[in-house]
Amino acid sequence: PFRHPLERREGAVIGSEQLLRCYLEIFLIRLLRKSSLLQSEKPLSSPAREKSKDELTRQALLFMEGRIGGPMNVNDICGELHISKTQLKSLFKQNTGYSVKEYFSKLKIERAKRYIREESYNFTEISRQLGFSSVHYFSKAFKNATRMSPSEYARSVKSRMKLETGN
């Protein structure tokens, strides 16, 4: 309704000035609301932030345990938890002391140890259950992690059991 420098235009539509005033008021109200919302959003307190980080790590661990019998990579976890690779790697290393891949390997070896102790499965079945491509690769990974082969570990467990039971 105005010409520059704000002169009334002849033949302007009725109510133009009022509409412009209303739009400006709405605009200013929205700006004020937005700035007050930004001021009221406080970052999480340190204990709350730590709890959130611990929860993410716990969820990552649960996801890994659910995938223990097959392949798994960092992208799978990131997709599940909706976080970036960098954030996951940093968080995981900080909370567990291991990289994601190291921890997943450690998890598989610990599960293999349990299966050997319980005598639930033979080595071929264990390697298949834990997603190793072959029993040879399983044995190699087990030896790298424990400094003994699965057979040696089984023997040491049996001899320890005999000592404990007194047989």
Side-chain angles (χ1 to χ4, degrees):
F2 300 102
R3 289 196 181 126
H4 189 62
L6 296 181
E7 295 174 2
R8 288 186 187 198
R9 222 173 33 176
E10 291 298 320
V13 180
I14 296 176
S16 304
E17 292 177 37
Q18 289 82 3
L19 279 174
L20 185 60
R21 181 176 172 214
C22 289
Y23 288 139
L24 283 172
E25 285 177 352
I26 291 169
F27 175 70
L28 290 173
I29 290 169
R30 286 186 177 172
L31 279 177
L32 286 171
R33 285 181 177 174
K34 190 169 187 167
S35 70
S36 68
L37 283 175
L38 290 174
Q39 290 172 356
S40 67
E41 287 180 7
K42 296 177 183 172
L44 291 175
S45 65
S46 189
R49 195 176 310 119
E50 288 304 313
K51 184 177 180 185
S52 174
K53 288 178 180 181
D54 290 346
E55 180 60 22
L56 278 173
T57 304
R58 190 185 69 73
Q59 288 176 352
L61 293 173
L62 287 173
F63 183 79
M64 290 167 72
E65 286 178 15
R67 294 284 181 97
I68 200 162
M72 193 265 333
N73 63 44
V74 174
N75 290 334
D76 296 336
I77 299 172
C78 292
E80 181 72 17
L81 302 180
H82 309 290
I83 60 175
S84 71
K85 274 185 177 180
T86 307
Q87 186 181 4
L88 175 68
K89 288 178 177 180
S90 168
L91 182 73
F92 209 81
K93 186 76 169 181
Q94 180 183 352
N95 287 347
T96 66
Y98 296 97
S99 72
V100 174
K101 200 168 192 167
E102 288 171 338
Y103 194 90
F104 191 60
S105 295
K106 183 177 173 356
L107 194 61
K108 285 186 174 204
I109 297 302
E110 290 303 315
R111 181 72 55 91
K113 286 175 161 181
R114 189 176 91 204
Y115 288 158
I116 292 170
R117 282 192 308 270
E118 294 172 355
E119 298 178 355
S120 309
Y121 306 102
N122 64 37
F123 298 142
T124 305
E125 292 170 331
I126 292 172
S127 71
R128 198 175 324 116
Q129 289 263 342
L130 298 176
F132 288 95
S133 56
S134 69
V135 71
H136 173 73
Y137 183 68
F138 163 67
S139 295
K140 187 176 180 179
F142 193 92
K143 188 164 187 154
N144 284 340
T146 63
R147 295 195 178 104
M148 61 177 79
S149 70
S151 309
E152 292 169 334
Y153 181 77
R155 280 193 297 272
S156 73
V157 167
K158 285 179 185 174
S159 66
R160 205 173 314 131
M161 297 279 275
K162 284 181 182 177
L163 289 173
E164 288 174 4
T165 59
N167 292 337

